[in-house]
């Protein structure tokens, strides 16, 4: 996914991670799901072409989550591990 500029780091998280995304569309939605399929965090961005944002997840339970980015022309999902 490097060609469309999606980064999520660090992937093994204690309290927070950074999302970096270069948009092909100016409306972007980010969802974090637990493995049961429930959305635990949603964020929406409009009128932008580049996102760099830090998220605190220290209140999340330890485990595996999926981070999904949707920008109208792309749907990308990455795994996030909270330890």
């Amino acid at each position: 996914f490097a060609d469309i500029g999606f980064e999520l780091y660090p992937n093994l998280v204690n309290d927070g991670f950074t999302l970096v995304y270069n948009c092909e569309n100016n409306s972007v939605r980010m969802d974090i799901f637990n493995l049961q399929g429930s959305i635990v965090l949603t964020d929406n961005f409009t009128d932008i072409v580049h996102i760099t944002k830090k998220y605190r997840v220290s209140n999340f339970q330890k485990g595996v989550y999926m981070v999904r980015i949707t920008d109208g022309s792309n749907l990308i999902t990455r795994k996030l591990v909270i330890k």
Side-chain angles (χ1 to χ4, degrees):
F1 297 112
D3 57 321
I4 57 173
F6 178 40
E7 294 180 57
L8 184 68
Y9 61 88
N11 194 336
L12 190 55
V13 177
N14 284 323
D15 61 348
F17 70 93
T18 301
L19 169 75
V20 179
Y21 185 64
N22 294 314
C23 311
E24 290 184 356
N25 192 332
N26 65 357
S27 180
V28 176
R29 178 179 169 129
M30 187 275 306
D31 296 303
I32 299 178
F33 294 86
N34 62 24
L35 289 184
Q36 290 74 38
S38 299
I39 297 175
V40 296
L41 179 67
T42 296
D43 205 353
N44 292 291
F45 306 91
T46 56
D47 298 325
I48 56 168
V49 293
H50 180 79
I51 300 165
T52 299
K53 186 169 180 181
K54 294 182 180 184
Y55 291 91
R56 299 303 256 167
V57 292
S58 56
N59 60 332
F60 287 20
Q61 291 185 353
K62 295 177 183 178
V64 178
Y65 294 81
M66 304 307 289
V67 179
R68 181 175 69 191
I69 295 287
T70 309
D71 77 359
S73 58
N74 293 296
L75 174 66
I76 306 165
T77 305
R78 294 272 179 93
K79 182 171 68 170
L80 177 69
V81 180
I82 299 176
K83 59 178 182 172

